[in-house]
Amino acid sequence: MTAHPASGPATGDDPHAREAARDLRTPGAAPDRELARILAFTHVFARRKAGRVAAVPGGFAVLNDRYPASHDDNHLVIPAPASPGDAVRPEEVLRAADEVLAGRGHRYVCVDDDALGAAFAPAFTAAGYDHETNLVMVFRGVPPADVPRAEELTLEELLPVLRHDWREALPDLPDASIEQLARRVEERRRGADVVRFRGVRDGSGEIAARADLYVQDGVAQIESVHTGTRHRGRGHARALLRALLAEAAGCEPIFLIAAEEDWPKDFYTRLGFAAIGRTHAFLRL
């Protein structure tokens, strides 16, 4: 396995990187082409923000030694194989995860292809991994017009909110790990040509809801949508999502990724998003 720094979108001799760059820049309305562009977007974003990229059987790994506690910054990505006969075996990926993520407190593998992810599930479950399926959801409505623009949040404004939210979600995690999970947002600024941290405030001026917006080559992703616990049920997330959709108007597609077994997917559906694909994630702590 080889590794190299990843400070930009260069593809070098990596076939997965070349394929992702090509797919991202190839528009098309067919569902399979649309899904391919979206997955290529996620690959390019992951590579650009990574500290290091390593080749692994069937895909690549992104690593960042500054944030070893962050699953998002230290994981394996297995794209869809060119043909069923080219599919990597799950045992190869399990070995690669143990090797590449040695020294991390987790093993995390993301599989883009629905059929391949389902085929991996028995072996990964037997190896002690939890299995999650995620929906790739594309906005099918008309972006709203004349809505208030969401506020751009600086890192100085965002970091205290992230520390609070992570501590609330993971009360037993060491302070050093909480700091990593908060500060990893700094790396996202390298992931796409346009990276915006947006938020809406309540009547007292406190940040009530927040989300990220990434834009690259005409594709837009809405990510990390979160409403503070004491602000929920008051329409803040809806207002924020509508503002982000207005801001991303003209991009095609506009997408987000939601856990299949969790309730937010239903909220996104009501806003006009529709599922066009499914990916798989395997995590062992």
Side-chain angles (χ1 to χ4, degrees):
M1 301 177 191
T2 57
H4 61 82
S7 57
T11 60
D13 295 325
D14 187 333
H16 294 293
R18 291 197 302 272
E19 184 176 354
R22 183 196 66 223
D23 285 345
L24 178 56
R25 292 176 172 83
T26 306
D32 56 346
R33 168 99 322 259
E34 188 174 46
L35 182 59
R37 277 192 88 198
I38 288 170
L39 295 175
F41 179 102
T42 65
H43 297 169
V44 170
F45 190 93
R47 288 173 175 277
R48 285 180 55 154
K49 76 180 183 69
R52 294 180 287 131
V53 178
V56 300
F60 62 95
V62 290
L63 303 160
N64 195 316
D65 295 332
R66 293 181 63 190
Y67 311 105
S70 171
H71 304 166
D72 186 56
D73 292 280
N74 299 273
H75 69 277
L76 276 62
V77 178
I78 309 300
S83 67
D86 295 328
V88 65
R89 293 184 295 111
E91 295 79 12
E92 296 178 87
V93 180
L94 285 166
R95 285 196 298 270
D98 282 339
E99 178 181 337
V100 174
L101 297 175
R104 303 309 197 239
H106 67 274
R107 302 288 184 266
Y108 188 39
V109 178
C110 298
V111 181
D112 286 345
D113 184 73
D114 189 16
L116 185 62
F120 275 18
F124 274 78
T125 300
Y129 282 74
D130 292 327
H131 178 202
E132 179 181 71
T133 54
N134 295 303
L135 299 177
V136 178
M137 305 187 74
V138 172
F139 183 64
R140 295 303 193 204
V142 177
D146 300 324
V147 297
R149 188 178 181 87
E151 179 182 346
E152 182 162 7
L153 303 177
T154 66
L155 284 177
E156 290 73 19
E157 293 171 310
L158 187 57
L159 284 172
V161 178
L162 291 170
R163 292 185 186 105
H164 172 273
D165 292 344
W166 279 115
R167 174 54 69 202
E168 185 177 58
L170 301 169
D172 298 326
L173 204 65
D175 288 344
S177 296
I178 292 293
E179 189 66 15
Q180 289 180 38
L181 294 177
R183 286 204 165 270
R184 68 182 186 176
V185 72
E186 297 172 338
E187 308 299 313
R188 295 179 186 173
R189 293 178 296 180
R190 298 201 309 264
D193 286 351
V194 176
V195 175
R196 297 285 182 263
F197 306 126
R198 298 299 197 200
V200 295
R201 299 179 185 269
D202 66 5
S204 70
E206 185 175 346
I207 296 171
R210 56 177 171 80
D212 301 352
L213 176 65
Y214 314 138
V215 180
Q216 179 75 38
D217 293 319
V219 179
Q221 180 182 13
I222 296 172
E223 174 62 18
S224 299
V225 180
H226 183 84
T227 303
T229 303
R230 60 182 174 275
H231 299 291
R232 293 176 184 171
R234 302 177 186 177
H236 295 300
R238 177 177 292 274
L240 177 58
L241 265 293
R242 284 175 54 81
L244 291 177
L245 288 169
E247 186 172 354
C251 292
E252 185 67 36
I254 303 170
F255 79 97
L256 51 77
I257 297 174
E260 186 172 28
E261 300 302 323
D262 208 353
W263 66 265
K265 71 179 188 301
D266 302 317
F267 168 66
Y268 300 136
T269 299
R270 293 193 297 272
L271 285 172
F273 286 85
I276 65 164
R278 182 186 288 106
T279 63
H280 296 252
F282 299 96
L283 173 65
R284 188 182 76 201
L285 299 177

